[in-house]
Amino acid sequence: MSLDLFHYLALTLGQKAPIAAICVGFCCGLLGCFVVVRRVALVGDAISHAVFPGVVAGFIWSPDRNPWMIFLCALVAGLFGVVVVRAIVSSTRLKSDAALGIVLASFFAFGVFWNSTQQLAGVKGYLFGDLTTIADGDLWMMTGATAAVTTLIFIFLRPFRVLSFDEGFAIGLGYPVRFLNALFFGLLAFAVVVAMQAVGVILVSAMLITPAATAYLLTDRIQKMMGLSVLIGVFAAVGGWWISGLDNRLQTGPVITLLASFIFALIYLFAPRHGVLAKFLRHAGRKSRVHRENTLKSIYRILEGEGFKVAGVGVEQLAEVRKLSIEDVLKDGKDLVDNDEATWEEGKTAIYLTSPGWRRATEIVRNHRLWELYLTDQADYAADHVHDDAEKIEHVLGADTVRKLERDLNFPEFDPHGKPIPSLEATLTMEKTIGKQEGTGY
Amino acid sequence: MLSWNPWGWMMMMCFFVALPCALLGVYLILRRMSLVGDAISHSALPGIVVAFAFVGDLSSPWLLVGAAVAGVLVTVLIEQIHRRTRIKQDSAIGIAFTSLFALGLVLIRFLVGDKVHLDQDCVLEGDVSHVAYAKIVSMFGADVPDALIPAGIVAIATVILITVFYRTLTLSSFDSGLAASFGYKPGVVHYALMAVLSVVVVAAFEAVGAILVIALLILPGATAYLCTHRLKLMLVLSAVHALISSIAGIYISVYFNGKESAGVVIAGTLLFLLAWLVGPVDGVMVKAVQRRKNTLDKSELE
């Protein structure tokens, strides 16, 4: 992307704000991914506050308000802030949260103080930032900075990726970690100073964190995350700018932030895998399955106690075994019936397993007893200690694991308590007899 | 009987603001929640704005209530984000406080308008000097500026609360599991701390603004942390830090003709730097001397 193209776009659109919005969304969205994954999200916050004295210095030393000069001073101040944070963390017992807070507030206080002694105009405008009043020079600098940040990130994509997920591994691979860290935080300071002019000192954090965190909920791959984060960042920035144009009381920075937060809230609730709703549904589904399987198991045990001579279990009998009220058992039974795992006798006094229900019940009992045997035989558990563990694991053992357990235990027939472990053939024969009984209308 | 000059009142105002911040900050540092203090100080804004829109008075105690609600709300949001998803706490803090702060900025324009002094400027910097021009009221036989009274009440209330709940607070800060097994409720303690913190932050809001209050919260505790291993001493030292930085800060700001609130923070920062260098427990120089002594001891042994 050449700078000329951006400038051309700016001229044709006749407005600088959307170009600036795209730059900020792009730059922060890209860098934000690493920031979120590395768990240094609030370093951006600290940098954005720490640049204040730099901005003041820039305004003092460059009376003609040269944006590059101010930018440079701000950058130096921001980087110095990062250095101080690292120094505090490495040389004292203070943790990074306290170090960040100290740097953030004391640098900012120094800036406020210096500014108040000099009575400079315009410094605060720089801090609060406003897309709509951005100057030509600033826009040039933004596009330049965005291009530089993007290029460097793509050149160092691989080492940055390793560094973000596992710093120790990066050292092991022989990457120059110190240099990479310096480069990373340098880029971060760069992006923060750029974005500050668009959304203001406090809301920079939003541009840096929110789009990347949103993307983090949508994907497990960093490249995809970077793409999504940039998309969300640009959309929030441009959309926020557009919305803030609707009412003159709306400022761009806060609206952009709120739009980004709104997108985050939507994804937080409705993301397909990591969303709260999806997790809740998955959890509820699993819970009701485990509950159904426990009912099936009880029915199996009752039938086993009767020597498999009858096919149905009375509701009262089931309630007694499960230590539940009749109403609860009726509800559990309804769950089974709704899942085609059982059928009611007329009048709901007894319940019969269907073929799938019968198979699932056998599987669960089989998992349970196999696991108990495995624990006593191979893990040296006492026979009276294995039941609770098996109660949990029986619901999650897959077919492969069961086959492996059987092989390891040499195809056992009885569990440690002497109860028979139902085998697959037995299940099939039982199914046939059950089928017959159903056929005869037992 | 007392006829202090304006600077004296300003020092007192700064101390009343800094003292409760310093004491609560000690617990924030121990709980590794310094940046939650940052989040709360920013998030108080929408609470204040909404409360102000209802009562229409900047000195109303309802503003404290609004801020406390907003402060607890932001801690709830942070927890909902980082407990329920794989987003870590630092990102969750960033998302939650920027959202609420942005909401506050938008609400200011819609609910408050430009008539009242409640804007980004006061959020960022605050102003202490109004104490000097405030109405003088008589209290306990002394003539005090009325702006000092709410800050004084908050300061004294915080000291009392921390003294009364010292055991609970300390135990749940160091070992919430043990606290729970003793029958204390770490969850309740957590949210109560956050609510008190919000009130304290708002009381400090007008004087020092949302960002400098973070310095008042963290610097005293951090300085004391570098000087001692004992909690009680740490609390005392942080109070001393608040006192010295309030007095020295006003002197600094008078000398350089700068902003008072920022002067107080600069004085506090200087104290922190001092502790970082020569703090008896964690000072860089002390540790260097210790290392040197250790190596000497070893060479003697050989």
Side-chain angles (χ1 to χ4, degrees), chain B residues 51-118:
Chain B
F52 177 79
F54 277 110
V55 294
D57 176 14
L58 261 186
S59 57
S60 160
W62 284 105
L63 265 57
L64 293 183
V65 178
V69 171
V72 173
L73 177 69
V74 79
T75 40
V76 171
L77 281 181
I78 291 170
E79 265 168 43
Q80 289 301 312
I81 294 175
H82 93 101
R83 280 237 189 106
R84 289 181 188 273
T85 66
R86 53 176 174 161
I87 292 172
K88 301 299 173 306
Q89 200 194 11
D90 60 334
S91 298
I93 290 176
I95 296 169
F97 91 78
T98 52
S99 312
L100 282 180
F101 188 72
L103 186 67
L105 289 180
V106 170
L107 287 179
I108 283 185
R109 290 292 189 90
F110 279 89
L111 297 178
V112 179
D114 296 332
K115 287 156 285 178
V116 189
H117 181 71
L118 185 65

Side-chain angles (χ1 to χ4, degrees), chain A residues 75-89:
Chain A
L75 195 63
V76 170
L79 281 177
F80 185 55
V82 176
V83 170
V84 175
V85 169
R86 296 213 136 204
I88 292 178
V89 171

Side-chain angles (χ1 to χ4, degrees), chain A residues 108-180:
Chain A
F108 192 79
F110 185 62
V112 169
F113 194 77
W114 200 4
N115 184 36
S116 66
T117 59
Q118 304 287 331
Q119 304 292 349
L120 295 163
V123 174
K124 282 182 196 151
Y126 198 91
L127 283 185
F128 293 134
D130 193 347
L131 271 177
T132 47
T133 58
I134 220 144
D136 263 343
D138 291 332
L139 187 67
W140 271 100
M141 203 187 56
M142 273 188 179
T143 44
T146 308
V149 167
T150 314
T151 319
L152 279 169
I153 284 186
F154 277 102
I155 291 174
F156 289 98
L157 183 59
R158 220 183 142 73
F160 274 165
R161 245 166 65 189
V162 180
L163 191 65
S164 305
F165 286 104
D166 193 339
E167 197 163 329
F169 186 55
I171 296 172
L173 284 179
Y175 285 133
V177 170
R178 285 176 77 93
F179 164 74
L180 286 172

